[in-house]
Amino acid sequence: MALTGRVYCWVDADAAGAVEPGDLITTSGTTGHGMKVGDHTRASGAIIGKAMTSLAKGKGLVLVLVSLQ
């Protein structure tokens, strides 16, 4: 659990596409995972942070910059 800083987050790149640095990460339907934001309107209030590393496909750890909004 983090309120601010850089932390690794489990991300599902199959849920909404490949994750690239700079993509926003939101909650996913996959338990315990985040995913790339596809629709910024729907993700409002559910943003985990901003990806700092990439993930091309599958599930894996992505470094995420977390900050309170």
Side-chain angles (χ1 to χ4, degrees):
M1 180 175 187
L3 298 176
T4 187
R6 299 178 314 160
V7 295
Y8 281 94
C9 176
W10 284 102
V11 173
D12 183 358
D14 295 331
V19 175
E20 298 296 328
D23 287 340
L24 293 176
I25 304 297
T26 188
T27 56
S28 169
T30 306
T31 304
H33 289 70
M35 69 179 187
K36 175 176 139 178
V37 170
D39 182 357
H40 293 275
T41 305
R42 290 187 63 205
S44 179
I47 302 294
I48 296 170
K50 184 178 284 192
M52 297 181 70
T53 58
S54 61
L55 181 64
K57 61 181 178 176
K59 297 175 180 80
L61 289 171
V62 171
L63 186 62
V64 175
L65 178 63
V66 177
S67 64
L68 293 173
Q69 296 294 320

